[in-house]
Amino acid sequence: MTLSGLSLRDLEYLVAVAELRHFGQAAERCGVSQPALSMQIRKLEETLGLAVFERGKTVLVTAKGEVILAQARRVLLEARRLMALAQELDAPLSGPLTVGAIETLGPYLFPHMLRPLRRAFPKLELVLHEGRTYQLVEALRHGALDLVFLSLPVADPQIATAPLFFEPFVLAQPADRPVAADGAARVTELPRDGLLLLEDGHCLRDQALEVCGTLGLGGKRHSTSLETLRQMIAAGAGYSLFPRLATLGEASVGGLVSYAGFDGTPPGRMVGLAWRQSDPRAEQFESLRRVLLDHPPPGTRVAAETSSK
């Protein structure tokens, strides 16, 4: 076997199919046709002398394939480190930077952070993604993402984190049937029925249950996204806890949804940055963080300048 039969692009194809369990979706992610991707993977399997995938109604990874994929991810990660190191030697925070954010944060944070970042780092090319916490952390660990905006803490020894700001939660309620009629929400006075939640996998769901769970409140209706949850509230289906940034701008659904802050110390989440411990650009990420600390989103409280490494 010679190295002439291997390429980094082929390894990216392998990893994409393994993650998506679908050749068509993997081809779309990689920007090639499905026949071209399938042919290259077949050639790579022939070069390796083993089958990485079991092809049927669903795509499965073979036992030997799991070993190959683990090494493929390591090779791709080292290749990205090589490119990152070269960029670092050329200019700090220049070129593409792949950034992820949790779905309940990204659409509301990105509009506030893009202008100061582009002004501070004019050569930086941000590539933005959204996902759920476990998906983003996994992509970060494997090198598919460089930075992630998420809710802290993150319990992973491979991931370094640094806080950005505390974002309070507010009560989202039907405007014509407000839960907090006087404009000030109190956790102890929330009705036992009517709590709407995001579906499993969203950290905001777990945080809402942590706030309300001590009262025996439980959400019987669930939504796949924060925007659908907002529409459910507008329809009068119940109430929920929303992060403050998601209530700015045109967020009342034509006056059908109102928001109330909590009395006293509000519940909320600490939003922070996460990157791989091994990434050689750690100091550059700290510089990016300092720019964001100087431009906090409205309604948030800047965090202390400490990081977990």
Side-chain angles (χ1 to χ4, degrees):
M1 182 186 301
T2 65
L3 291 178
S4 61
L6 294 173
S7 75
L8 292 176
R9 190 60 171 157
D10 292 342
L11 298 184
E12 288 180 333
Y13 294 165
L14 281 183
V15 172
V17 173
E19 290 180 351
L20 297 173
R21 293 294 197 271
H22 194 282
F23 278 82
Q25 293 176 12
E28 184 177 353
R29 176 196 282 186
C30 296
V32 296
S33 67
Q34 181 174 340
L37 178 139
S38 299
M39 181 179 67
Q40 285 302 112
I41 289 181
R42 285 285 191 191
K43 286 183 177 179
L44 182 56
E45 288 177 320
E46 290 174 2
T47 300
L48 296 173
L50 55 86
V52 177
F53 299 111
E54 179 182 331
R55 297 159 173 84
K57 290 184 178 180
T58 58
V59 178
L60 302 175
V61 180
T62 64
K64 293 180 179 179
E66 291 287 3
V67 179
I68 295 297
L69 279 162
Q71 184 62 33
R73 289 189 174 103
R74 285 192 286 269
V75 171
L76 289 172
L77 181 57
E78 290 301 325
R80 292 188 181 101
R81 285 177 178 166
L82 177 65
M83 296 303 296
L85 183 59
Q87 288 179 5
E88 182 181 10
L89 293 173
D90 178 42
L93 284 177
S94 63
L97 185 71
T98 308
V99 177
I102 53 177
E103 294 168 335
T104 59
L105 176 67
Y108 318 107
L109 174 63
F110 289 151
H112 296 285
M113 68 173 229
L114 291 178
R115 188 176 298 278
L117 287 182
R118 292 186 65 182
R119 188 164 50 239
F121 308 105
K123 294 184 178 181
L124 184 62
E125 302 170 15
L126 291 172
V127 182
L128 305 179
H129 294 268
E130 292 179 9
R132 301 184 185 181
T133 300
Y134 71 93
Q135 296 169 330
L136 297 175
V137 171
E138 187 72 5
L140 184 60
R141 289 175 64 248
H142 290 151
L145 292 174
D146 299 310
L147 275 179
V148 171
F149 291 88
L150 38 60
S151 181
L152 300 179
V154 176
D156 189 320
Q158 297 184 45
I159 305 300
T161 62
L164 283 171
F165 56 83
F166 175 81
E167 181 182 20
F169 294 150
V170 299
L171 187 70
Q173 56 191 350
D176 59 345
R177 295 196 297 273
V179 175
D182 60 357
R186 301 169 184 83
V187 174
T188 55
E189 296 178 6
L190 295 178
R192 300 184 66 84
D193 297 321
L195 175 63
L196 304 176
L197 295 169
L198 291 171
E199 65 182 7
D200 285 335
H202 289 277
C203 59
L204 183 59
R205 167 194 169 89
D206 299 332
Q207 291 160 344
L209 285 173
E210 183 178 353
V211 173
C212 303
T214 56
L215 304 177
L217 302 177
K220 295 182 179 179
R221 298 190 62 184
H222 307 93
S223 170
T224 57
S225 74
L226 205 56
E227 291 308 313
T228 301
L229 197 63
R230 198 193 314 269
Q231 300 298 325
M232 292 169 65
I233 296 169
Y239 68 91
S240 190
L241 269 62
F242 266 49
R244 179 75 175 85
L245 293 181
T247 68
L248 302 178
E250 299 296 324
S252 67
V253 194
L256 294 175
V257 178
S258 67
Y259 303 95
F262 282 88
D263 257 359
T265 302
R269 63 185 180 184
M270 180 60 70
V271 172
L273 270 179
W275 61 88
R276 289 181 301 281
Q277 290 274 15
S278 57
D279 199 308
R281 297 168 293 177
E283 289 188 6
Q284 296 182 34
F285 296 156
E286 286 285 1
S287 297
L288 182 148
R289 173 176 170 263
R290 285 192 291 272
V291 171
L292 296 177
L293 289 173
D294 290 337
H295 299 84
T300 64
R301 187 176 72 245
V302 173
E305 294 200 30
T306 59
S307 62
S308 170
K309 298 179 179 180

